[in-house]
Amino acid sequence: MSTKLLALSLSFCFLLLGGCFALREQSQQNECQLERLDALEPDNRIESEGGLIETWNPNNRQFRCARVALSRATLQRNALRRPYYSNAPQEIYIQQGNGYFGMVFPGCPETFEEPQQSEQGEGRRYRDSHQKVNRFRQGDIIAVPTGIVFWMYNDQDIPVIAISLTDTGSSNNQLDQMPRRFYLAGNQEQEFLRYQHQQGVKEEQDNDGNQEQEFLRYQHRQGVKEEQDNDGNNIFSGFNRDFLEDAFNVNRHIVDRLQGRNEERGAIVKVKGGLSIITPPERQARHPRGSRQEEDEDEDEDEKEERQPSHHKSRRGEDEDDKGESRRHGDNGLEETVCTAKLRLNIGSSSSPDIYNPQAGRIKTVTSLDLPVLRWLKLSAEHGSLRKNAMFVPHYNLNANSVLYALKGRARLQVVNCNGNTVFDGELEAGRALTVPQNYVVAAKSLSDRFTYVAFKTNDRAGIARLAGTSSVINDLPLDVVAATFNLERNEARQLKFNNPSRFLVPPRESEKISSSTTRV
């Protein structure tokens, strides 16, 4: 490289760094002063042999403000999502389907073991062993910690659809705010690769900066080309072959497969004949793998576990003021370890809801009190279902940003910021996502016979404050304070406080019920 080109490159590097610092300073001041929100669809689609991955642009202001990223994976029958790990914790909601998933926790024992048998064509005996494999089903929330290798597999005819939120703002992410997937195998495009060179460009630069940006992109491509001498795109691809031959004590052919050379199947691959997965024999004997009876049993187990924490939560809350740090977090050294931690909990419509009104709908939440691993991830979630013309009252999240993803149907949502401005007033329909920043007030009314959604929240004990109905902020204020605050007569203030007997879910009005039934007829 010539001296002139080197100087030019350094100049651009300093310019880029200066732009990054300016962006960071600007974002601290203005990033969350959102005057408009949008219900967004994924804008990137990456197809693989066994399915596809769709992503939302994490550079969008509302995702940057919440410091999260969203993606959606679809797995066909006998499809395996290849093992990978991320730079930030994830919450994965299973919108549809059933299957298996596994995680690899460094230092934990391989507790699932196959019987010893002879491998055909070889004289030696072998026995496979690996860490625990879990079953998932529709409605499950799966918690995936930072840096932990994760894989999933669909063994059913129904495609698996999994919605994943990555919390790039987590303190566990020490890399950067761009979500990154580190794949162990294959040669596939990173879900968020196309966004990495666009971060902040539109807000930083006007049209005069386009040539500079193109130069930086060209420089990056050249750097990648010079650094790598193979076509692979996984964490082994960049290593010298000799390194891997020595590290694994295998031949070059296996190393080539390890590095994904000349392989274009993508991040989701088809498994010929299906996977042979070790499962506990007692369950396998009782129920065929993936049968409905097995799922019902899982559901019963989930509901038993979910019923217990109702008084269990309050006991933990009482302990918080009197006990030490470990008791405050509910740890006693025996409840669970990292190696045996429960990693999933069902919050779908079939589960026992936390809030239920037969005329309005149901709400189910999962926090670190229900699923302790969420305390590590600092995430929680909520599943909601609204009947037609029912609504959830205006409320706000006290301590979390929230990303609402519509699973089915459509609803009208309104979101209001601290200035009293409406930043969103529109429909949220299936397949779209809406970010609701912390403390912004949101309300929704279903426009479909059944509107269902999942909300990912960036706090493991996310709390809400309702502004209408029983036990709301308005309801809990003294009557005279309400009257004086809103310049009302006492009788009017009483109506404001007590006319809505619902807590969170409000049934449709009688006129709307009649109109709805007439329409169906």
Side-chain angles (χ1 to χ4, degrees), residues 98 135 137 140 280-288 290-307 342 344 346 350-351:
N98 303 272
R135 186 88 188 164
R137 62 187 177 89
D140 278 352
E282 59 272 15
R283 170 170 290 185
Q284 206 167 25
R286 284 199 304 268
H287 310 305
S291 69
R292 178 61 201 167
Q293 190 174 0
E294 179 189 356
E295 293 173 21
D296 289 340
E297 182 182 272
D298 284 345
E299 182 178 318
D300 292 340
E301 290 175 0
D302 282 340
E303 292 185 356
K304 287 177 184 177
E305 293 172 3
E306 290 161 8
R307 281 194 292 269
K342 184 177 180 182
R344 74 164 185 92
N346 195 274
S350 61
S351 298

Side-chain angles (χ1 to χ4, degrees), residues 68-312:
V68 298
L70 199 65
S71 64
R72 179 171 64 204
T74 302
L75 283 69
Q76 303 300 329
R77 179 174 176 82
N78 289 337
L80 170 71
R81 177 154 196 190
R82 287 170 148 167
Y84 71 92
Y85 60 91
S86 294
N87 61 322
Q90 297 178 82
E91 265 189 333
I92 300 175
Y93 178 79
I94 305 301
Q95 179 179 352
Q96 175 182 288
N98 303 272
Y100 290 96
F101 75 92
M103 299 187 207
V104 179
F105 289 85
C108 291
E110 299 163 345
T111 55
F112 278 37
E113 299 179 349
E114 285 185 346
Q116 286 190 354
Q117 51 186 293
S118 296
E119 184 173 0
Q120 189 174 3
E122 294 188 11
R124 58 194 177 96
R125 300 172 67 85
Y126 81 99
R127 180 176 64 182
D128 183 36
S129 61
H130 53 73
Q131 291 191 14
K132 182 178 180 181
V133 173
N134 303 271
R135 186 88 188 164
F136 69 79
R137 62 187 177 89
Q138 181 175 321
D140 278 352
I141 280 284
I142 302 173
V144 186
T146 306
I148 297 300
V149 171
F150 171 82
W151 59 268
M152 66 190 309
Y153 173 71
N154 179 17
D155 66 334
Q156 305 290 305
D157 289 330
I158 299 175
V160 167
I161 301 177
I163 314 301
S164 174
L165 177 126
T166 304
D167 182 15
T168 56
S170 169
S171 59
N172 291 319
N173 175 22
Q174 300 294 310
L175 191 57
D176 57 27
Q177 294 303 310
M178 181 60 63
R180 299 176 187 271
R181 303 285 192 251
F182 295 81
Y183 279 96
L184 271 63
N187 177 12
Q188 60 274 331
E189 179 184 345
Q190 279 259 2
E191 291 103 283
F192 298 99
L193 180 65
R194 62 173 294 191
Y195 306 117
Q196 291 179 15
H197 308 298
Q198 301 171 0
Q199 192 171 16
V201 171
K202 289 185 178 179
E203 293 185 6
E204 275 189 279
Q205 297 179 331
D206 55 19
N207 293 332
D208 293 335
N210 289 338
Q211 291 182 350
E212 172 191 322
Q213 187 63 25
E214 285 300 320
F215 175 83
L216 291 173
R217 290 178 182 174
Y218 169 79
Q219 193 176 41
H220 172 80
R221 289 194 297 267
Q222 288 298 106
V224 171
K225 186 176 181 180
E226 292 174 3
E227 289 176 11
Q228 297 183 339
D229 62 351
N230 58 67
D231 297 325
N233 191 23
N234 64 65
I235 59 175
F236 297 113
S237 300
F239 285 99
N240 184 279
R241 288 178 175 179
D242 295 337
F243 270 48
L244 298 178
E245 288 179 19
D246 293 342
F248 287 93
N249 192 25
V250 293
N251 60 41
R252 180 150 294 195
H253 170 72
I254 295 177
V255 168
D256 286 346
R257 293 298 181 90
L258 190 69
Q259 293 186 318
R261 291 175 181 271
N262 303 316
E263 206 252 64
E264 298 179 353
R265 294 192 297 161
I268 303 172
V269 297
K270 282 277 191 177
V271 181
K272 294 181 180 179
L275 287 182
S276 176
I277 298 178
I278 306 171
T279 54
E282 59 272 15
R283 170 170 290 185
Q284 206 167 25
R286 284 199 304 268
H287 310 305
R289 187 170 67 181
S291 69
R292 178 61 201 167
Q293 190 174 0
E294 179 189 356
E295 293 173 21
D296 289 340
E297 182 182 272
D298 284 345
E299 182 178 318
D300 292 340
E301 290 175 0
D302 282 340
E303 292 185 356
K304 287 177 184 177
E305 293 172 3
E306 290 161 8
R307 281 194 292 269
Q308 292 173 357
S310 57
H311 62 277
H312 185 74

Side-chain angles (χ1 to χ4, degrees), residues 474 478-494 496:
I474 300 296
L479 183 63
D480 283 358
V481 172
V482 174
T485 297
F486 297 104
N487 193 26
L488 297 172
E489 300 292 335
R490 282 178 61 87
N491 181 53
E492 295 172 324
R494 191 175 290 109
L496 187 65

Side-chain angles (χ1 to χ4, degrees), residues 355 357 359-363 385-395 411-414 442-447 451 453 468 500 502-509 512:
I355 301 173
N357 185 317
Q359 294 181 318
R362 60 175 69 202
I363 302 288
S385 177
L386 294 176
R387 294 186 177 275
K388 188 169 185 178
N389 293 322
M391 70 176 299
F392 58 66
V393 298
H395 67 281
R412 181 184 178 187
L413 274 74
Q414 293 188 337
V442 58
K445 187 171 186 176
S446 176
L447 301 176
F451 170 70
Y453 69 91
N500 178 10
S502 304
R503 286 183 177 268
F504 187 68
L505 299 177
V506 181
R509 299 186 179 190
E512 291 174 326

Side-chain angles (χ1 to χ4, degrees), residues 258-471:
L258 190 69
Q259 293 186 318
R261 291 175 181 271
N262 303 316
E263 206 252 64
E264 298 179 353
R265 294 192 297 161
I268 303 172
V269 297
K270 282 277 191 177
V271 181
K272 294 181 180 179
L275 287 182
S276 176
I277 298 178
I278 306 171
T279 54
E282 59 272 15
R283 170 170 290 185
Q284 206 167 25
R286 284 199 304 268
H287 310 305
R289 187 170 67 181
S291 69
R292 178 61 201 167
Q293 190 174 0
E294 179 189 356
E295 293 173 21
D296 289 340
E297 182 182 272
D298 284 345
E299 182 178 318
D300 292 340
E301 290 175 0
D302 282 340
E303 292 185 356
K304 287 177 184 177
E305 293 172 3
E306 290 161 8
R307 281 194 292 269
Q308 292 173 357
S310 57
H311 62 277
H312 185 74
K313 290 180 183 179
S314 62
R315 288 204 307 270
R316 284 189 178 178
E318 291 167 2
D319 288 340
E320 288 184 6
D321 295 332
D322 303 324
K323 308 297 182 181
E325 182 71 18
S326 63
R327 293 293 293 166
R328 182 182 301 118
H329 291 300
D331 294 330
N332 60 13
L334 298 175
E335 289 183 355
E336 72 176 12
T337 67
V338 170
C339 299
T340 60
K342 184 177 180 182
L343 300 169
R344 74 164 185 92
L345 186 71
N346 195 274
I347 61 172
S349 297
S350 61
S351 298
S352 176
D354 297 321
I355 301 173
Y356 178 65
N357 185 317
Q359 294 181 318
R362 60 175 69 202
I363 302 288
K364 178 70 178 178
T365 61
V366 56
T367 70
S368 58
L369 296 175
D370 311 291
L371 193 60
V373 71
L374 293 179
R375 186 177 65 244
W376 183 9
L377 276 62
K378 302 300 181 187
L379 293 171
S380 58
E382 169 186 301
H383 180 277
S385 177
L386 294 176
R387 294 186 177 275
K388 188 169 185 178
N389 293 322
M391 70 176 299
F392 58 66
V393 298
H395 67 281
Y396 61 91
N397 291 283
L398 279 74
N399 54 357
N401 296 309
S402 178
V403 177
L404 275 73
Y405 176 82
L407 299 166
K408 181 181 179 182
R410 60 193 180 93
R412 181 184 178 187
L413 274 74
Q414 293 188 337
V415 183
V416 178
N417 66 6
C418 61
N419 296 324
N421 296 326
T422 304
V423 295
F424 182 82
D425 183 2
E427 293 186 8
L428 182 64
E429 58 186 20
R432 290 179 177 263
L434 176 70
T435 302
V436 181
Q438 178 184 357
N439 300 145
Y440 280 43
V441 181
V442 58
K445 187 171 186 176
S446 176
L447 301 176
S448 303
D449 288 337
R450 182 73 69 175
F451 170 70
T452 58
Y453 69 91
V454 61
F456 302 97
K457 303 191 178 186
T458 58
N459 191 300
D460 64 301
R461 296 191 190 181
I464 65 171
R466 298 184 295 274
L467 297 177
T470 304
S471 299

